């Protein structure tokens, strides 16, 4: 049995992302304190974590080497921020995606933390320069953006502030690896980071293809789920280029003219409004009605699929 790792982790905000982070850190043997201003929210989250971990254990999908009970014993709630952060080695902020709210939290933390703890935000789109500029502990600050749902999708984008110390990036990278995540170093901040820039590029062209009557919304999704997505679950676009010719140089020699020709036909950024919204929504609702029950059931199915895919990847990919 692994013993609890030295130095605890604090999760600020106990919503869905905070809950996932708590489970991930506990799976790595770390003591976790969940902080929230609402005591009832903490109570509810701890109960949800207990239920989820028990189900994961029953299905053989619980992460880490500790049992569910051992992992649950590492997670506790705290309603006092100063008490929660005392002695912590990593603080993961998970409050809603609101710049002023996040800045307020980091200003509070800045006043009470030591010079060793990592201050990490889960923000999906707010730039580190907007979040951390002016903080006394800015060298200890970083964005660690998880992918929803973090327990099943291991990627974490690490984005530094221009003044973030290299050791902050290195320590956060090592910690993410230790809890079974797949961190990537974003070398400098850019709007949308990396994952969302790629995602928005795909969404943008998908939208144009539907809008221009080239393909139906359902068939468009099929191109990804039964085509590109199957490949990209195991290798990325650059390795795909490498394998689809005799290396990248060969691929560019062979296909660059055709790629550039097609890329020049891409239209402007869509407005994501009007008739196309209605058409896409109608097709999606035929497949999955947009009431809470149907959406929740489909999300659960998605998470089950992601869990099975993660298990398959661990069996077939070299570590």
């Amino acid at each position: 049995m692994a013993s609890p790792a030295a130095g605890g982790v604090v999760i600020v905000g106990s919503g869905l992302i905070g809950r996932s982070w708590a489970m991930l850190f506990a799976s790595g043997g770390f003591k976790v304190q969940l902080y929230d201003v609402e005591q009832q929210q903490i109570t509810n989250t701890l109960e949800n974590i207990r239920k989820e971990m028990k189900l994961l254990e029953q299905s053989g999908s619980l992460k880490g080497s500790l049992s569910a009970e051992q992992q649950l014993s590492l997670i506790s709630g705290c309603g006092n921020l100063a008490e929660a952060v005392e002695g912590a080695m990593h603080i993961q902020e998970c409050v809603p995606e609101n710049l002023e709210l996040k800045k307020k939290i980091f200003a509070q933390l800045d006043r009470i933390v030591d010079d060793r703890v990592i201050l990490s935000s889960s923000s999906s789109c707010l730039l580190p320069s907007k979040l951390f500029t002016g903080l006394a502990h800015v060298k200890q600050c970083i964005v660690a953006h998880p992918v929803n749902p973090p327990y099943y999708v291991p990627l974490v984008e690490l984005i530094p502030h221009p003044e973030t110390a290299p050791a902050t990036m290195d320590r956060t990278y090592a910690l993410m690896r230790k809890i079974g995540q797949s961190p990537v170093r974003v070398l400098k901040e850019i709007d949308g980071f990396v994952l969302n820039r790629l995602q928005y590029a795909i969404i943008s062209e998908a939208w144009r293809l539907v809008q221009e009557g080239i393909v139906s919304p359902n068939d468009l999704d099929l191109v990804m789920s039964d085509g590109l997505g199957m490949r990209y679950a195991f290798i990325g676009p650059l390795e795909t280029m490498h394998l689809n010719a005799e290396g990248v140089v060969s691929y560019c020699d062979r296909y660059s003219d055709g790629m550039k020709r097609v890329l020049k036909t891409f239209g402007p950024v869509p407005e994501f409004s009007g008739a196309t919204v209605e058409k896409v929504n109608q097709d999606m609702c035929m497949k999955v009605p947009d009431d809470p029950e149907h959406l929740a059931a489909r999300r659960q199915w998605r998470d089950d699929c992601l869990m099975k895919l993660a298990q398959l990847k661990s069996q077939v990919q070299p570590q």
Side-chain angles (χ1 to χ4, degrees):
M1 166 187 159
S3 58
V9 173
V10 176
I11 309 292
V12 178
S14 59
L16 183 63
I17 297 297
R19 187 170 89 202
S20 296
W21 275 124
M23 291 169 62
L24 285 166
F25 284 117
S27 77
F30 291 94
K31 279 192 172 177
V32 179
Q33 289 247 52
L34 266 172
Y35 166 79
D36 204 292
V37 287
E38 297 283 342
Q39 184 57 50
Q40 190 57 48
Q41 175 73 15
I42 297 174
T43 304
N44 293 345
T45 298
L46 291 172
E47 185 53 38
N48 284 332
I49 288 173
R50 171 169 289 279
K51 287 178 186 167
E52 200 166 343
M53 279 196 173
K54 289 293 187 183
L55 287 171
L56 287 165
E57 189 170 53
Q58 286 166 18
S59 67
S61 306
L62 187 71
K63 293 188 173 219
S65 57
L66 301 173
S67 69
E69 279 301 331
Q70 288 167 332
Q71 292 186 31
L72 287 164
S73 72
L74 295 172
I75 305 173
S76 58
C78 185
N80 182 306
L81 189 59
E83 278 180 29
V85 304
E86 193 174 339
M89 59 127 195
H90 184 94
I91 299 170
Q92 190 71 37
E93 168 274 311
C94 305
V95 302
E97 195 76 350
N98 175 295
L99 178 60
E100 292 312 311
L101 176 60
K102 286 183 186 282
K103 284 176 74 171
K104 183 180 168 189
I105 292 287
F106 280 104
Q108 281 180 270
L109 290 167
D110 197 40
R111 292 192 290 270
I112 57 178
V113 297
D114 60 28
D115 294 335
R116 297 183 300 278
V117 67
I118 302 285
L119 297 172
S120 176
S121 173
S122 301
S123 177
S124 61
C125 64
L126 298 173
L127 296 174
S129 57
K130 295 273 193 345
L131 285 170
F132 307 133
T133 295
L135 296 179
H137 296 88
V138 65
K139 290 182 177 179
Q140 298 154 239
C141 294
I142 195 166
V143 168
H145 169 224
V147 184
N148 193 36
Y151 199 84
Y152 307 114
V153 183
L155 183 81
V156 182
E157 295 180 291
L158 304 180
I159 306 98
H161 182 280
E163 295 178 59
T164 297
T168 300
M169 173 69 84
D170 293 343
R171 283 175 56 197
T172 309
Y173 186 94
L175 178 61
M176 293 299 133
R177 290 293 300 267
K178 182 165 175 54
I179 63 172
Q181 298 304 85
S182 299
V184 296
R185 300 171 190 259
V186 179
L187 302 178
K188 56 185 178 182
E189 67 174 31
I190 185 170
D191 202 8
F193 309 152
V194 176
L195 182 137
N196 276 329
R197 290 181 77 90
L198 290 173
Q199 177 169 244
Y200 296 163
I202 291 168
I203 289 172
S204 180
E205 181 56 15
W207 199 266
R208 284 189 295 260
L209 288 168
V210 170
Q211 189 165 278
E212 292 168 15
I214 307 295
V215 68
S216 72
N218 281 317
D219 279 353
L220 185 287
D221 272 1
L222 205 60
V223 169
M224 182 58 71
S225 64
D226 282 16
L228 283 176
M230 292 187 74
R231 179 192 286 162
Y232 286 169
F234 296 92
I235 59 173
L238 302 180
E239 188 179 348
T240 296
M241 293 168 69
H242 195 60
L243 298 183
N244 280 359
E246 286 65 55
V248 171
V249 173
S250 164
Y251 187 95
C252 290
D253 286 345
R254 196 180 300 175
Y255 300 117
S256 61
D257 286 345
M259 283 194 292
K260 287 185 284 186
R261 187 189 72 248
V262 172
L263 286 166
K264 284 173 184 170
T265 69
F266 280 33
V269 175
E271 289 299 322
F272 301 107
S273 62
T276 310
V277 174
E278 291 173 25
K279 179 175 176 54
V280 172
N281 186 59
Q282 186 177 20
D283 277 28
M284 293 303 105
C285 287
M286 287 285 288
K287 189 175 186 177
V288 185
D290 61 358
D291 60 89
E293 292 77 17
H294 281 95
L295 289 171
R298 186 66 168 176
R299 289 186 194 114
Q300 186 59 56
W301 173 83
R302 174 202 65 189
D303 291 355
D304 291 344
C305 291
L306 288 168
M307 185 165 59
K308 291 180 178 123
L309 179 61
Q311 290 168 344
L312 175 62
K313 280 171 68 79
S314 70
Q315 292 164 18
V316 300
Q317 282 201 174
Q319 296 300 311

